[in-house]
Amino acid sequence: MKKQLFLMAALGGVLLTANDVNAQETAVVVEESAFAVEQVNCKDIYTPGSWRDNWYIQLGAGMRVPLVEKGTKSRHITANYNLAVGRWFSPYMGFRFSANYGSMHWQSEKMASARTANLNLDFMWDMCNSIAGYNPNRVVSIIPFVGLGGTFVYHFRNDATANDYADDGNIKSNQWMLPVSAGIQLRFRVSPYVDIFAEGRGTFYGDNFNNTVYGRPVDIDATAIGGVIVHFTGSKFERYNPCDYVNALSQANAQINDLRGALATTSAALAAAEAQLPCPEVEETTVVAAESTTLFPTVRFKLNSAYVSSEEMVNVYNIAEYMKANPDAQIVVRGYADKNTGTAAYNMKLSERRAQAVADILTGDYGIAENRLILEAAGSDTQVYPTNDWNRIVIFAAPE
């Protein structure tokens, strides 16, 4: 029993050490300061996108040979059947629940047999991904594993050398055992969802595995199986590399530094302004606005259209508010058209319709009296703006 525990601990240490080495290779050290971000040793990191990813089921069959007492005259091969369900939680490490069933035959004084049912929790290490880097399309994978489990041995027959007694003084009719195991699996990729495999396992028991206690202190059940593995989602790991974000961090730091500089400049200007307090009194002056024959804004139109769009309605509203604030004022509503489209006669009619459309909104929607509006159609003979398509407008002007 001491030998099997030592073997389990040693192999487990190898797997954990290998995974630690891989983790160190993918480590990223990012040094941040107020003015810079420096990257060191950037490597890709892979994680499952969801707990549903990377599950698989394994079906297999093969043979087994019990290696029991020193006095065994010959080895006898029998069938072994396997069913396993597992998951890879990284490209390098995974686990599975592996069940095995079959009968075993051995010969001491005469042929003896028993049946076994075994369930293991195996910890899997993908050696190729760990050493050569993750590759979801790799054809061959080498996967060592170690396991802890439980075995029920029953239906003993014809073992004349059995000497493991129960409390009632009779030879035991069955055995419950907690073995450790180790093995290696070879996987061959057929498609993203299907592998075929071959694996060998050694399961290590106490000396009473076959109900006989003498000779070597450890009994071994050696199995070799092959079969098929079906991956429910294929190999799905999300790539993450901290260096992908280094440039963004550098830009963010640069922006922070710019803002700090702007803040320092503003603070200095504020301090200079505060130093001049109290402010000198400023004499009030009266500003007389110059008279203008044109009232802005204008109302713009699309090509060959007299429809006032929702964007231009704000300009009509502003003129209406101006006229309400100045109840004695009159305005000229003068329509234009661009000279590059349509004939002069057509453009004259189009400019008239544009002026009328604006006037209808002022009178209908805002209650401006019709006698306060002077409608004019300028057509395309006069172009107010040098850019031709700017002249699809209505301009508001004071009467001359």
Side-chain angles (χ1 to χ4, degrees):
M1 191 65 181
K2 292 182 179 179
K3 289 184 179 179
Q4 67 193 59
L5 291 177
F6 175 78
L7 178 61
M8 182 68 180
L11 188 52
V14 170
L15 297 186
L16 293 176
T17 301
N19 196 51
D20 287 343
V21 169
N22 184 74
Q24 291 170 4
E25 290 178 353
T26 61
V28 175
V29 178
V30 178
E31 298 178 359
E32 298 187 12
S33 67
F35 301 97
V37 177
E38 181 182 355
Q39 65 185 41
V40 179
N41 191 24
C42 294
K43 296 290 184 180
D44 290 340
I45 299 172
Y46 295 91
T47 59
S50 165
W51 66 269
R52 300 180 182 86
D53 293 340
N54 302 303
W55 286 92
Y56 65 88
I57 186 169
Q58 171 181 306
L59 298 173
M63 61 183 184
R64 72 190 311 165
V65 176
L67 307 177
V68 288
E69 317 310 324
K70 289 182 179 178
T72 299
K73 298 178 180 179
S74 60
R75 311 300 182 191
H76 295 275
I77 298 174
T78 55
N80 183 65
Y81 305 97
N82 171 256
L83 171 65
V85 175
R87 179 179 185 246
W88 290 96
F89 50 83
S90 80
Y92 321 105
M93 298 295 295
F95 70 91
R96 70 178 179 184
F97 294 97
S98 181
N100 294 275
Y101 172 78
S103 62
M104 63 176 182
H105 294 175
W106 70 97
Q107 186 171 343
S108 51
E109 294 182 359
K110 60 181 181 178
M111 182 66 68
S113 66
R115 296 179 182 175
T116 67
N118 166 260
L119 178 64
N120 286 301
L121 171 61
D122 296 331
F123 299 93
M124 320 286 287
W125 173 47
D126 192 316
M127 186 170 65
C128 294
N129 277 347
S130 298
I131 296 174
Y134 172 56
N135 180 3
N137 300 315
R138 181 173 282 113
V139 177
V140 179
S141 296
I142 302 173
I143 304 173
F145 60 87
V146 295
L148 299 171
T151 300
F152 182 56
V153 188
Y154 64 102
H155 209 273
F156 288 100
R157 287 186 176 183
N158 301 327
D159 189 5
T161 62
N163 61 359
D164 192 8
Y165 292 91
D167 292 339
D168 59 5
N170 297 317
I171 297 294
K172 290 182 178 180
S173 60
N174 57 66
Q175 296 277 4
W176 283 98
M177 313 195 75
L178 299 175
V180 295
S181 60
I184 191 167
Q185 181 183 82
L186 298 179
R187 289 191 180 183
F188 303 90
R189 176 60 48 90
V190 177
S191 76
Y193 297 94
V194 178
D195 296 339
I196 58 175
F197 76 94
E199 74 173 58
R201 178 197 293 266
T203 306
F204 304 90
Y205 296 92
D207 194 20
N208 57 340
F209 176 51
N210 63 335
N211 238 8
T212 302
V213 182
Y214 72 88
R216 64 167 60 92
V218 176
D219 289 343
I220 303 173
D221 186 20
T223 59
I225 61 173
V228 62
I229 297 173
V230 178
H231 300 269
F232 297 122
T233 61
S235 181
K236 292 181 64 176
F237 293 100
E238 292 184 355
R239 173 189 170 279
Y240 165 70
N241 192 320
C243 293
D244 293 343
Y245 303 94
V246 168
N247 289 336
L249 289 174
S250 298
Q251 293 174 2
N253 262 350
Q255 292 177 356
I256 292 173
N257 293 334
D258 291 342
L259 291 173
R260 285 176 174 170
L263 179 60
T265 301
T266 303
S267 298
L270 178 60
E274 289 176 344
Q276 297 180 7
L277 294 177
C279 296
E281 295 184 1
V282 179
E283 295 183 1
E284 294 184 1
T285 59
T286 302
V287 178
V288 179
E291 293 185 0
S292 173
T293 59
T294 302
L295 302 175
F296 290 96
T298 62
V299 178
R300 299 171 297 172
F301 294 86
K302 293 184 179 179
L303 179 66
N304 195 29
S305 173
Y307 172 74
V308 180
S309 66
S310 58
E311 291 86 355
E312 299 299 316
M313 283 296 294
V314 65
N315 298 326
V316 182
Y317 170 81
N318 289 335
I319 292 300
E321 291 297 304
Y322 166 79
M323 298 194 73
K324 289 178 182 179
N326 299 273
D328 296 329
Q330 282 187 310
I331 62 168
V332 176
V333 181
R334 185 179 297 123
Y336 291 85
D338 70 90
K339 66 180 180 181
N340 283 355
T341 55
T343 63
Y346 180 83
N347 288 338
M348 183 62 70
K349 291 292 185 181
L350 179 59
S351 64
E352 182 180 347
R353 287 190 288 119
R354 287 171 173 168
Q356 187 63 55
V358 173
D360 289 343
I361 296 173
L362 288 171
T363 57
D365 293 353
Y366 298 110
I368 305 302
E370 292 183 9
N371 60 3
R372 300 179 61 192
L373 305 177
I374 302 171
L375 275 61
E376 293 182 1
S380 58
D381 295 335
T382 301
Q383 299 288 275
V384 180
Y385 296 106
T387 301
N388 187 60
D389 57 2
W390 289 9
N391 292 292
R392 303 167 192 155
I393 57 172
V394 162
I395 289 181
F396 302 102
E400 295 181 358

